[in-house]
């Protein structure tokens, strides 16, 4: 029995109260709709992050039309509403700086309009968590529909993944081994069609986690952007969201402690992006779930890497999809999942993946034949009291226990100016340290953490060194990079006290990161340290700086993460 009736729809406050609704009814009539098309029907808001400045989402206008088709078929009334696209490549100083902006925009678009349920169209890295965070806070029935990933490519006989490909060849360019015209060939291959990165970067990680959380239709995250199944799934989501409105099935009925744990387990099994450590904590806080960086680390030690996908593995996303995709991988790890978690399909996670077929056991491994043992580790110590993260599955094994002398870069500008200088005092044992690139220092915690291999070392054939920062790195990247150091240096975290020549010791197996300097010396340095001047004095930059929390807390705003209810907008007729 449906929980909602036409009389109890949220949109009825705008439509259906006689002359008091004249303003709202007249605008719907103005748009060319007849009364029977919208009155008494669930109004479905399609939040679309299409933009000319986000080519990953170039096809989302057509995807929205497929969603509308499904909504009409099920007896709903679809309305499309644009939201900030956050194109990863273009948005500066950092896409993360605008994730909370998108979350707030999504929530308020849904709140201030006559919306009963929502379809969320996203895909590029920060759009997925931003849309989900806003939908969780608004708590109307919602389905997330991912954009899908870009076409595959090869280069010199190798699989060429978005991000992993150029990062693989960049040291050759910097060492003078790759001519510029060949680099231009690489540029053409990185994204050869609409869609997100075709490896297990942040986009594919987060769209998969949306599905595991129960917020997407089964298999939606394993469909290429240009595959016709994307439109088919869009139409199916349109049909399903109408029924979800009648059933009043909301994010608060779906996302809980267990589903968050499932998402973390899937993340490490995927060899997922380290950025998920930020986003999943933020999503958990929005949902009122209990989940910390320490919880993520514990799961990382329990669940191995099953997806043999770059950057942790060999293949790219099309091959993962053809091998059975996310449902097949979840089936392989069903023994460690909490299968009774509800989902937007109306069935449980376990029911959704029952019968999922595994086609290629090399692409999607079993628990007893993993690609790697660990995809995420959280290290703590006097350099990172609140933690930092590393992806062991994409790092150099011989560097996971290492002691070396620091080469310090004060900020991203300093790094850009000196990293390839022939005078840089660096060798293969050095530990490159980049600071003042965190949530406040960056500003916005950009993906500066995959510090380039200095030209001086690249010319010697060196392809990895230990790198430490309070920044993030692209989920498509690889190397022995310690990231998200918290608290960040901008606010006086210990990273601010490191000096050239200090020895730093990391021990990933034992989860420690140590600045090997006497406590008294560090205390003296702290007395000399001065807080940098703020980046912003007005606008969104100031709002962000005044409210963002640290990486280990999810980089959200406490005022948005609050579980306090927000009242529905008052509506008064003008007649």
């Amino acid at each position: 029995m449906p929980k909602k009736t036409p009389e109890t729809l949220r949109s009825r406050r705008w439509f259906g109260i006689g002359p008091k609704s004249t303003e709202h009814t007249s605008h719907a009539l103005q748009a060319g709709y007849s009364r029977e098309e919208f009155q008494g029907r669930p109004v479905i808001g399609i939040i679309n992050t299409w933009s000319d400045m986000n080519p990953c989402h170039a096809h989302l206008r057509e995807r929205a039309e497929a969603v509308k088709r499904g909504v009409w078929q099920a007896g709903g009334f679809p309305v499309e509403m644009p939201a900030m696209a956050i194109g990863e490549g273009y948005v500066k100083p950092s896409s993360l700086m605008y994730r909370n902006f998108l979350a707030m925009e999504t929530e308020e678009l849904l709140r201030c309009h006559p919306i009963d349920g929502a379809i969320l169209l996203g895909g590029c890295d920060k759009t997925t968590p931003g849309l989900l965070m806003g939908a969780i806070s608004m708590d109307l029935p919602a389905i997330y529909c991912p954009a899908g990933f870009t076409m595959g490519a090869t280069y010199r006989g190798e699989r060429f993944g978005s991000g992993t490909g150029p990062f693989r060849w960049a040291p050759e360019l910097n060492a003078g081994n790759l001519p510029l015209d060949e680099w231009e060939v690489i540029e053409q291959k990185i994204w050869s069609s609409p869609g997100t990165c075709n490896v297990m970067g942040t986009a594919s990680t987060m769209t998969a986690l949306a599905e595991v959380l129960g917020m997407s239709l089964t298999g939606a995250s394993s469909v290429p952007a240009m595959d016709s199944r994307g439109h088919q799934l869009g139409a199916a989501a349109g049909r399903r969201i109408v029924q979800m409105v009648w059933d009043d099935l909301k994010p608060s009925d779906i996302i809980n402690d267990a589903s968050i744990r499932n998402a973390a387990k899937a993340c490490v099994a995927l060899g997922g992006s380290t950025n998920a450590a930020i986003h999943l904590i933020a999503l958990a806080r929005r949902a009122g779930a209990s989940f910390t960086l320490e919880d993520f680390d514990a799961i990382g030690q329990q669940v191995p890497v099953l997806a043999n996908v770059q950057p942790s593995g060999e293949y790219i996303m099309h091959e993962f999809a053809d091998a059975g995709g996310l449902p097949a991988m979840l089936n392989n790890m069903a023994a460690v999942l909490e299968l009774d978690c509800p989902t937007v399909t109306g069935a449980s996670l376990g029911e959704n993946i029952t019968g999922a077929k595994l086609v290629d056991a090399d692409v999607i491994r079993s628990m007893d034949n993993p690609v790697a043992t660990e995809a995420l580790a959280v290290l703590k110590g006097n350099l990172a009291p609140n933690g930092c993260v590393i992806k062991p599955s994409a790092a150099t094994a011989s560097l996971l226990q290492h002691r070396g002398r620091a080469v310090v870069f004060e900020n991203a500008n300093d790094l850009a100016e000196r990293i390839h200088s022939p005078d840089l005092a660096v060798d293969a044992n050095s530990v490159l340290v980049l600071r003042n690139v965190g949530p406040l220092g960056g500003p916005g915690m950009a993906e500066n953490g995959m510090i380039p291999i200095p030209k001086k070392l690249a010319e010697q054939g060196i392809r990895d060194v230990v790198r430490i920062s309070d920044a993030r790195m692209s989920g498509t990247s690889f190397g022995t990079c310690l990231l998200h150091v918290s608290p960040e240096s901008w606010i006086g975290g210990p990273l601010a006290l490191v000096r050239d020549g200090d020895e730093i010791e990391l021990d990933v197996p034992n989860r420690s990161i140590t600045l090997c300097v006497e406590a008294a010396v560090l205390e003296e340095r702290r007395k000399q340290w001065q807080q940098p001047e703020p980046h912003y004095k007005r606008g969104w930059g100031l709002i962000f700086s005044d409210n963002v929390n640290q990486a280990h807390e999810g980089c959200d705003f406490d005022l948005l993460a609050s579980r306090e209810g927000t009242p529905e907008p008052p509506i008064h007729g003008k007649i």
Side-chain angles (χ1 to χ4, degrees):
M1 177 70 69
K3 295 182 179 179
K4 290 280 188 179
T5 65
E7 292 72 30
T8 59
L9 290 172
R10 180 176 182 270
S11 58
R12 189 175 175 82
R13 298 183 63 235
W14 282 261
F15 303 121
I17 50 175
K20 291 183 179 180
S21 299
T22 294
E23 183 177 23
H24 316 128
T25 300
S26 295
H27 279 310
L29 297 170
Q30 177 189 21
Y33 297 106
S34 61
R35 296 174 192 271
E36 54 265 31
E37 288 181 284
F38 61 87
Q39 286 186 338
R41 295 173 178 261
V43 180
I44 306 302
I46 303 169
I47 307 295
N48 195 346
T49 55
W50 173 91
S51 167
D52 277 336
M53 294 305 292
N54 189 344
C56 297
H57 294 182
H59 57 306
L60 289 189
R61 275 186 162 175
E62 291 77 17
R63 186 65 49 82
E65 293 305 312
V67 172
K68 291 177 185 178
R69 183 175 78 239
V71 172
W72 286 120
Q73 289 169 349
F77 178 58
V79 292
E80 187 176 353
M81 297 185 287
M84 189 176 191
I86 319 186
E88 190 70 24
Y90 287 127
V91 171
K92 306 300 179 191
S94 158
S95 58
L96 182 63
M97 187 167 168
Y98 294 94
R99 183 201 66 182
N100 298 345
F101 186 105
L102 175 59
M104 185 159 42
E105 183 181 20
T106 300
E107 179 181 352
E108 296 306 325
L109 277 171
L110 297 175
R111 174 170 290 111
C112 71
H113 290 102
I115 303 299
D116 298 301
I119 295 289
L120 314 170
L121 297 183
C124 193
D125 296 11
K126 310 308 174 293
T127 59
T128 302
L131 289 165
L132 288 174
M133 289 161 68
I136 290 168
S137 291
M138 184 59 202
D139 204 31
L140 292 178
I143 298 177
Y144 175 76
C145 291
F149 37 88
T150 189
M151 292 169 57
T154 60
Y155 179 69
R156 294 188 177 183
E158 298 180 4
R159 291 180 183 85
F160 187 89
S162 308
T164 57
F167 292 140
R168 150 84 170 84
W169 288 98
E172 302 302 324
L173 176 71
N174 292 331
N177 300 330
L178 192 72
L180 185 59
D181 61 345
E182 278 295 295
W183 186 255
E184 291 175 349
V185 172
I186 285 174
E187 288 179 328
Q188 181 64 50
K189 290 176 176 287
I190 299 173
W191 299 281
S192 52
S193 77
T196 59
C197 294
N198 57 17
V199 297
M200 198 56 68
T202 304
S204 290
T205 299
M206 293 311 302
T207 57
L209 299 198
E211 186 175 331
V212 179
L213 284 170
M215 293 298 294
S216 296
L217 298 184
T218 306
S221 66
S222 301
V223 177
M226 296 291 96
D227 193 311
S228 60
R229 289 175 296 167
H231 286 354
Q232 293 167 10
L233 280 165
R239 293 189 292 271
R240 176 60 191 157
I241 191 62
V242 174
Q243 187 59 49
M244 286 175 62
V245 170
W246 294 127
D247 294 340
D248 200 26
L249 181 60
K250 305 181 296 298
S252 59
D253 302 312
I254 295 170
I255 301 176
N256 52 36
D257 287 0
S259 61
I260 293 288
R261 289 192 294 269
N262 281 341
K265 291 171 184 176
C267 180
V268 295
L270 290 164
S273 169
T274 50
N275 287 305
I278 293 174
H279 300 315
L280 193 56
I281 289 172
L283 287 164
R285 294 183 70 203
R286 289 290 182 113
S290 175
F291 189 76
T292 66
L293 199 55
E294 292 75 16
D295 295 327
F296 219 145
D297 182 55
I299 287 171
Q301 296 181 66
Q302 298 165 8
V303 180
V305 180
L306 304 184
N308 191 6
V309 178
Q310 298 178 18
S312 293
E314 178 182 356
Y315 299 97
I316 59 176
M317 284 298 298
H318 303 75
E319 293 161 303
F320 177 74
D322 289 343
L326 183 66
M329 190 198 79
L330 296 177
N331 227 1
N332 271 11
M333 58 184 294
V336 300
L337 296 174
E338 297 172 73
L339 298 173
D340 58 348
C341 288
T343 74
V344 295
T345 68
S348 69
L349 177 66
E351 291 169 328
N352 286 344
I353 64 174
T354 296
K357 294 181 180 179
L358 175 63
V359 177
D360 191 326
D362 187 47
V363 180
I364 300 174
R365 302 288 186 86
S366 62
M367 293 285 283
D368 58 2
N369 182 35
V371 178
T373 56
E374 287 186 302
L376 184 130
V378 177
L379 279 57
K380 289 189 175 183
N382 69 341
L383 191 56
N386 294 329
C388 62
V389 302
I390 186 173
K391 183 190 282 191
S393 58
T396 300
S398 61
L399 293 176
L400 296 179
Q401 289 179 303
H402 181 80
R403 182 167 175 150
R405 295 190 179 277
V407 178
V408 180
F409 299 93
E410 195 62 30
N411 51 44
N413 290 335
D414 184 30
L415 176 74
E417 290 173 5
R418 295 196 294 124
I419 188 65
H420 295 308
S421 169
D423 299 325
L424 187 68
V426 65
D427 60 36
N429 292 316
S430 297
V431 175
L432 306 185
V433 174
L434 174 62
R435 61 185 172 214
N436 294 315
V437 285
L440 288 166
M445 203 180 181
E447 292 179 342
N448 302 120
M450 62 277 204
I451 301 169
I453 299 300
K455 180 178 181 180
K456 184 175 183 177
L457 298 183
E459 291 172 340
Q460 300 171 31
I462 296 167
R463 294 296 177 262
D464 194 13
V465 295
V466 174
R467 290 160 274 179
I468 302 175
S469 72
D470 44 16
R472 300 177 297 111
M473 79 173 183
S474 168
T476 68
S477 189
F478 49 87
T480 312
C481 300
L482 288 93
L483 310 153
H484 312 179
V485 171
S486 182
E488 64 175 304
S489 51
W490 187 266
I491 61 173
L495 202 64
L497 309 181
V498 182
R499 295 187 180 175
D500 283 332
D502 288 347
E503 289 198 337
I504 296 175
E505 184 173 12
L506 73 147
D507 186 342
V508 175
N510 292 301
R511 298 301 198 263
S512 69
I513 178 71
T514 305
L515 176 58
C516 303
V517 176
E518 293 292 333
V521 174
L522 294 177
E523 185 57 35
E524 188 59 34
R525 292 180 187 179
R526 180 167 297 285
K527 293 176 182 177
Q528 299 170 16
W529 177 81
Q530 293 183 345
Q531 171 75 53
E533 289 293 317
H535 288 294
Y536 299 102
K537 296 184 178 179
R538 62 166 302 280
W540 175 251
L542 180 60
I543 294 171
F544 180 87
S545 300
D546 283 349
N547 290 282
V548 71
N549 51 36
Q550 289 292 289
H552 73 284
E553 300 170 306
C555 295
D556 200 2
F557 297 171
D558 286 338
L559 61 89
L560 295 177
S562 169
R563 298 295 294 166
E564 294 293 327
T566 301
E568 286 282 4
I571 299 175
H572 304 289
K574 296 180 180 179
I575 304 300

